[in-house]
Amino acid sequence: MATFRNEVQVRFAHVDAAGIMFYPRYFGLINDLVEDWFASGLKKSFRQLHLKEKRAVPTAHIEVDFHAPSKLEDELIFELSVARLGTTSCTLNIRARCEGEDRLSGKLILVHMDMESGKSMPWCTPLRKAMQDWMAEPGEGA
Amino acid sequence: MATFRNEVQVRFAHVDAAGIMFYPRYFGLINDLVEDWFASGLKKSFRQLHLKEKRAVPTAHIEVDFHAPSKLEDELIFELSVARLGTTSCTLNIRARCEGEDRLSGKLILVHMDMESGKSMPWCTPLRKAMQDWMAEPGEGA
Amino acid sequence: MATFRNEVQVRFAHVDAAGIMFYPRYFGLINDLVEDWFASGLKKSFRQLHLKEKRAVPTAHIEVDFHAPSKLEDELIFELSVARLGTTSCTLNIRARCEGEDRLSGKLILVHMDMESGKSMPWCTPLRKAMQDWMAEPGEGA
Amino acid sequence: MATFRNEVQVRFAHVDAAGIMFYPRYFGLINDLVEDWFASGLKKSFRQLHLKEKRAVPTAHIEVDFHAPSKLEDELIFELSVARLGTTSCTLNIRARCEGEDRLSGKLILVHMDMESGKSMPWCTPLRKAMQDWMAEPGEGA
């Protein structure tokens, strides 16, 4: 299955008084992962989507298990794959590892929304096709 | 059931290009809620716990449903209650509302950890008793 | 001279691996201070200003001296006063203390900007008058 | 003069309700720049410095002029050079540009501090020599 990856080094700004990743900051990194997937994987940047086309992809649900702490300067590999593509939403599996050790795993549900009305709407054909094509790839980075 | 509450106004720093709460920032606010509950509800501040007693309460699992967007200057009421008190962990229900409208609901699992060893350990008697006493209250802020 | 104040407790989310305020986070707190001054001191909330009237007050210059570190759970008092009110800008003095000890002091320059054109423009009469009235107060919180 | 550079794309997480970089977030990026310079330019990572050697380099002063707003997906080039190397401190010039347009410029003063005592102390010989060698380079990335 196609998997999208990015890499993030744990920075001083990420860690807490215990010297480990402050867990709320993982969610910023998960959003970065989704943003990179839209730009590089689906060829639809967030700037284009939000600012020009006035559409958004808010997160309706997210659940994460944290398996082990991440320390300053750890090199994390984040991965994303599509678990399910629905009419107005998609479910993504996410994972982060460091040197083969799982740090987090979970899933999130994005909803395709019209920013003016604030209502969900079916994925447009180009974005649906981009997701389907991307899912059909034999495993970019998998 | 005893419920712990705090209130947070949605600030300029919280919102995204769409003018609504950027969802990763909710997790910082959820951590603030837990921090306030420890300090005010359990009388064990994070400073005391982390820096003096070298214990931590990392989040092992979190899941959140987002029901409606929060806008700049919305007054959010966050609520926390204990769903289950285990030997080395506890499960908390969380919720945020604005003027009666649900914004998010979910739960998280905290684990009691020794910072030096990085291992989980049973709740100490004072902290366990503080949680039990707090849970038995008829509903502070409920 | 009129001084606007707010209070902020140093939270777990603010501190770094050394257990002290991570200095970039002070700038978020300084922005909160300016936001509160607009809402409470000048009666012009950022929501009204930015989202309804499409005006912004970007920071053109800021300089800060950090005098002493702030620790987890310190109660900081932030203060703001107007050093100079110009045609399209204003210069604010800022300060933060804890129990009488200076933590930071500095100044910043805000520019009144039209969001559509991205150009600076003279303060509107109501906002200029609000600033002048506020400056003339004998010292709210001084 | 030797100049250290890194590149940062403006992300969704960086921008505010006006769709431009929220200025407090620049200070996180400036800290990342200093962190990268220590790791790559001086071969002394923040993990080594802070967590192993119990030394810190807090910012005692910073001043920044913001010249033009940065928009979502702008590719920023941050630059750092040493303006002055003192006994216990150093003054750094910083700048960020996008496609030749200045976005910010300024300077900051770092102090070499012993974390246990909280006192400043002279740069150790290896770190002083690393800074001097780095400054003498004909312009890495300049």
Side-chain angles (χ1 to χ4, degrees), chain B residues 11-12 35 45 47 73, chain C residues 11-12 35-36 47 73:
Chain B
R11 286 185 166 280
F12 197 74
E35 185 176 10
S45 81
R47 177 181 173 89
E73 293 172 23
Chain C
R11 285 185 168 281
F12 197 74
E35 185 176 8
D36 288 350
R47 177 181 173 89
E73 293 172 21

Side-chain angles (χ1 to χ4, degrees), chain C residues 83-96:
Chain C
R84 180 180 168 275
L85 175 55
T87 306
T88 64
S89 69
C90 67
T91 302
L92 305 176
N93 290 326
I94 49 176
R95 188 159 73 136

